[in-house]
Amino acid sequence: MKKFFAILFLFTFLSSTGFAGEKDMKENNLKWWQCKPVYQVYPKSFFDTDGTGSGDINGITSKLDYLKSLDVGAIWITPVYPSPMVDNGYDIADYTGINESFGSMDDFDKLLAEAKKRDIKIVMDLVFNHTSDKHEWFLESKKNTKNPKADWYIWRDAKDGKEPTNWRAIFGGSAWTWCEERKQYYLHTFAKEQPDLNWNNPDVRRALYDAANFWLSKGVGGFRIDAITYIKKPRTFTDGKPDGKDGTVNIHTMTANQPGILDFLREFKHRVFDGKDIFTVGEANGVSARELPEWVGKDGVFDMLFEFSHVDLPFDAAEIWCYPKEWKLTDLKRALSNSQKATRDNGWYPIFFENHDQPRSVNHFFPEGADPKKAAKALATVLMTMRGTPFIYQGQELGMTNVSWNDIEKYNDISSHGQYEFAIKEGFSPDDAMKFVRYFSRDNARTPMQWNDEANAGFSPEGVKTWLPVNENYKTINAEAEEKDSDSVLAFYRKLGALRRAHETLIAGDYKEIFSDSEEIFAFERSFNGETLTTLVNFSLKPVKVPAEIVNKNLVLSSEKVFDDSELQPLEARIYKIK
Ligand code: GLC
C-alpha cells in the first residue's frame, strides 16, 4: 500500500508541477550563471566530425541541441588554442588563435553564434601561469639574458652546477630545466615544455590581459582560469623538506598561494572582468574553504573558485598517487559543507565531482563494487541540489566510468607517466604502480564520449583510430541508448534539471547539512521563501532506514523505484518536500 501511494504521489507530482513548465526566477536577484548548470567539454574527446580520431569545434556545434536538452547555461571548453599538445592544449603557443586540429576561427565563431541562438554561452580556459616552450615569447626569452623578453619567464643560474632548488614539477622530475642557449635554468610548475611566466613583469601581465580581452570582444561568456594559485612565486627560492626518496619536494608545497597573489589578481579583474556580464571561475588548488571569502564574492577576485578539498580526500598536499589515504563519508561531507559555509553569505560555489583531471566520479566516491548507474544517479542528486552552479563534465551525465588498462604505454596523460615513474622510484613494483595509475589517471575522464553503440562509440567514424581508446562499456553506456531509456542516468539528469527549474529553492535556497555524523547518508536541506527541500542520499551498499523526521514528508523524486518508504536502498537518492 505504502509503495502504491509513494509511486502515485511521484507521478502526480511530476505531471502537476516541476515537469510541466518553467517558472520565472524573478525573486532571487541571481545572475544567469548562478541559475543553470555549466557543461564542461574536453574537445579532443567530445565529437570528431572530420574523421581524424580526435574531436573538434564543429563537433561541439553539432551537439548543441543535446547540450540544450540538459538545460545548460554555458559550456566551458578546455583549451583549443595552437599548441604542441604535450599537455593536451594546456601548453599554449598562441593565446589568440585556434589549433588547426580543432578547426578554424570561423568554426569557433560559428560555435559562438549557434550557442547564442540557444541561449548558451561559451566559456574559455585561460592558462596564464605558463605557456608552451614553443610560444614565440619563450623562443625569444631563451635566446640570451638581454633580449626584450629576457625577463618574461623565470630564469636562474645553476647552483653548484645543479638545479637552483630541489623542487619537483607537478608532472614529475625537477621543476627546473637547463637551457643551453641561455646557460640558465628556467622554472616550470608542470612539464618542462610549460615554462612559467614571470607575473612580476608588467609587460607580461599586460600581454595576458590583452589576450583575455580578445576573447571577450568576441562575446564569450566567461573564463575558467587555470592553475592560478601558482602565478606568484616566493620572494626567495629555497630548498624544501623532501617528500620523496629522491630528495625532491613537490613544487606545490613551495609556491602555491603565496602572499601578494591577490594584488595581481585584483589588477587582472580590474583590467579584464570588471563591469562585464560574464563569470569567472579560478582553478585554485591550494586555497582552502576558509580563505574563499578573500577570493570570491563582493570583494573577491573571481565569481567562483574550484577548490579541491573534496576530490583530493585521498591525498595530502603533494598529491602523490602511490600514497593514497583512507577517507570516510563524513570527510567528504565536511569538505563540501565547509565550502558551502564559506560561500553562504559571500561568493558562489561551483559544485563539481568530475573534470578532465579527475577519475570518473562513480569510481572515485563510492565503495568498490558499487553499481555505476545507481552511483551516478546518487551523485547527480547531490550535484544538482546543493547550493551553487553545478558543473557537469562530459559523459558524467551518462554515468561513464574509469577505464582499466594494464600497460603504462597505453596512457597518454603526461601526469600518469610522471606518477608511474615516481612510484617505481619509491620502490613500488610495476604492477602496484599501475594500480595507482588505473585508479587516478586523468585518461579515465578523457576517453572518447560514448554517443552510441556503433564502432568507436559513434565518436569517430568506423575504421578510424581514436586518439585514446574508447571505454569497452560503450555498448551499454551511451547517449543514444540512454535517450530511449526513461530509467537511464541521462534521463535522471534531465529530471533533476527540470526539478531545479520548477523549484527556485534548489537554486536560491539556503543550505543546511543534516545527520552530519552519518557514515551512510549524505543529507541536507535547501530552504527558500517558506519551502524546504531535503536531499537524502545513501552512499553505502546497504539498505539504510530513512530517519524518522523525514519518513512522512512528501517524496518529490527518487533515483530508484520506491519499494519501502522507510528504507533507502543501496545508493538510492531521494528528494523530499516540506510544505
Ligand atoms: C590545470 C589543468 C590541467 C593541466 C594543468 C597545467 O590543472 O586542469 O589539465 O594539466 O593545469 O596547465
Side-chain angles (χ1 to χ4, degrees), residues 299-310:
D299 303 317
V301 287
F302 298 123
D303 294 310
M304 298 180 269
L305 213 64
F306 287 128
E307 55 93 20
F308 292 83
S309 52
H310 62 303

Side-chain angles (χ1 to χ4, degrees), residues 87 90 130 171 190 194 224 226 283 356-357 442 446:
D87 186 20
Y90 282 92
H130 46 269
F171 293 154
F190 296 91
Q194 293 168 299
R224 178 263 189 185
D226 184 73
E283 187 201 28
H356 63 292
D357 295 329
R442 305 191 300 176
R446 297 177 181 185

Side-chain angles (χ1 to χ4, degrees), residues 362 370-378 398-399 477 485 487-489 560:
V362 292
D371 176 322
K373 181 173 166 186
K374 291 182 195 239
K377 290 182 184 178
L398 305 177
I477 300 180
D485 174 5
D487 186 42
S488 66
V489 179
E560 306 296 322

Side-chain angles (χ1 to χ4, degrees), residues 280-298:
T280 55
V281 53
E283 187 201 28
N285 216 337
V287 176
S288 63
R290 195 172 27 85
E291 296 167 287
L292 277 180
E294 283 195 285
W295 284 74
V296 293
K298 243 187 356 318

Side-chain angles (χ1 to χ4, degrees), residues 319-337:
E319 261 186 58
I320 300 174
W321 293 358
C322 59
Y323 297 122
K325 294 188 298 191
E326 294 279 317
W327 57 270
K328 304 190 296 292
L329 181 65
T330 43
D331 300 323
L332 174 67
K333 298 198 295 186
R334 196 172 315 117
L336 290 167
S337 290

